[in-house]
Amino acid sequence: MSTTPPVLAAELAVAWADIQRHHPELPDLAAPESLIGESSSACGIELSFERLLHEAVHGVAAARGVRDTSRAGRYHNRRFLAIADELGLDHSEEPHPSSGFSLVGLRPDTKKRYRATIDRLHRALRAHTVATTADTARSFRGPAARHGSSGGGVRVKAVCDCGRNVRVVPSVLAQAPIMCGACGQAFRIPEVVGAGVG
């Protein structure tokens, strides 16, 4: 039985909502699509439920007015650590010299609490990876892919009618719509209007 791969941005929003069920002060995730294809050097991890929960720690800190990082967001301090503990993340005893307590992991009880959500997001991430890395003999991936960059292509501005915008590789947007978390409409790449010929 063949099914359509889940839209990753929508699955990220569902997973975020599940975290909010357990932590109601967590603000809404304004742009789940902004996490797609973007790893965080401060977090040191690719997109996953663990990364999403890490971002939720920052969301709770923002809601509380707590400054949880320094050094332009790279160093995660003990205030970050305290909220990470509340959200079910484990950590090392000693901070990393440059990133502090940014490297956190799911505790066993947290994995159990979010098991269904973790599995669902993992399936969406796997489908997204397959869809974005499928190559044919005739496909052109651009210079970023040829040179080993994680970018996978040139990003362009996609806009929503409500005024929000994101940067996205056009081929990724062509695979499935990326929906705006604010108004529910699809982001689109605006048509370029050429100069009139006189």
Side-chain angles (χ1 to χ4, degrees), residues 7 21-22 31 63 77 81 83 90 92 94 100 107 116 118-119 142 146 154 171 181 188:
V7 178
R21 257 185 345 102
H22 297 282
N77 60 36
L81 193 58
I83 298 171
D90 225 341
S92 62
E94 294 299 317
R107 290 195 309 244
I118 292 169
D119 291 345
R146 287 197 314 273
V154 177
S171 62
R188 61 183 169 68

Side-chain angles (χ1 to χ4, degrees), residues 160-173:
C160 177
D161 291 335
C162 73
R164 298 177 67 228
N165 64 70
V166 295
R167 290 260 176 213
V168 64
V169 177
S171 62
V172 172
L173 191 60

Side-chain angles (χ1 to χ4, degrees), residues 137-152:
R138 298 187 41 81
S139 66
F140 176 72
R141 303 274 298 156
R146 287 197 314 273
H147 299 295
S149 165
S150 63

Side-chain angles (χ1 to χ4, degrees), residues 22-46:
H22 297 282
H23 304 280
E25 70 184 303
L26 178 63
D28 290 340
L29 182 59
E33 60 278 358
S34 68
L35 295 173
I36 299 171
E38 196 177 291
S39 65
S40 168
S41 59
C43 303
I45 51 177
E46 296 286 324

Side-chain angles (χ1 to χ4, degrees), residues 10-11 24-25 49 64 68 77 84 86 98 104 145 149 175 182 196:
E11 293 299 332
E25 70 184 303
F49 184 78
R64 294 178 182 173
D68 62 340
N77 60 36
E86 288 178 43
S98 63
V104 290
S149 165
Q175 293 165 15

Side-chain angles (χ1 to χ4, degrees), residues 8-181:
L8 184 53
E11 293 299 332
L12 286 165
V14 167
W16 190 267
D18 192 25
I19 298 168
Q20 282 180 311
R21 257 185 345 102
H22 297 282
H23 304 280
E25 70 184 303
L26 178 63
D28 290 340
L29 182 59
E33 60 278 358
S34 68
L35 295 173
I36 299 171
E38 196 177 291
S39 65
S40 168
S41 59
C43 303
I45 51 177
E46 296 286 324
L47 186 55
S48 64
F49 184 78
E50 186 174 81
R51 161 83 188 281
L52 198 61
L53 203 54
H54 176 122
E55 297 300 331
V57 172
H58 292 302
V60 169
R64 294 178 182 173
V66 171
R67 186 167 180 223
D68 62 340
T69 62
S70 58
R71 300 181 196 165
R74 289 186 310 274
Y75 191 88
H76 293 59
N77 60 36
R78 290 192 183 276
R79 290 181 291 275
F80 170 85
L81 193 58
I83 298 171
D85 187 57
E86 288 178 43
L87 270 65
L89 292 167
D90 225 341
H91 55 85
S92 62
E93 291 298 318
E94 294 299 317
H96 184 275
S98 63
S99 63
F101 294 101
S102 68
L103 299 178
V104 290
L106 296 173
R107 290 195 309 244
D109 61 315
T110 308
K111 284 182 187 176
K112 186 176 179 181
R113 177 185 316 131
Y114 293 109
R115 172 58 54 210
T117 301
I118 292 169
D119 291 345
R120 185 174 166 156
L121 183 59
H122 180 71
R123 284 193 302 274
L125 285 163
R126 197 169 54 233
H128 178 76
T129 300
V130 167
T132 57
T133 58
D135 275 323
T136 66
R138 298 187 41 81
S139 66
F140 176 72
R141 303 274 298 156
R146 287 197 314 273
H147 299 295
S149 165
S150 63
V154 177
R155 294 171 193 250
V156 298
K157 183 162 87 171
V159 299
C160 177
D161 291 335
C162 73
R164 298 177 67 228
N165 64 70
V166 295
R167 290 260 176 213
V168 64
V169 177
S171 62
V172 172
L173 191 60
Q175 293 165 15
I178 296 175
M179 308 309 287
C180 176

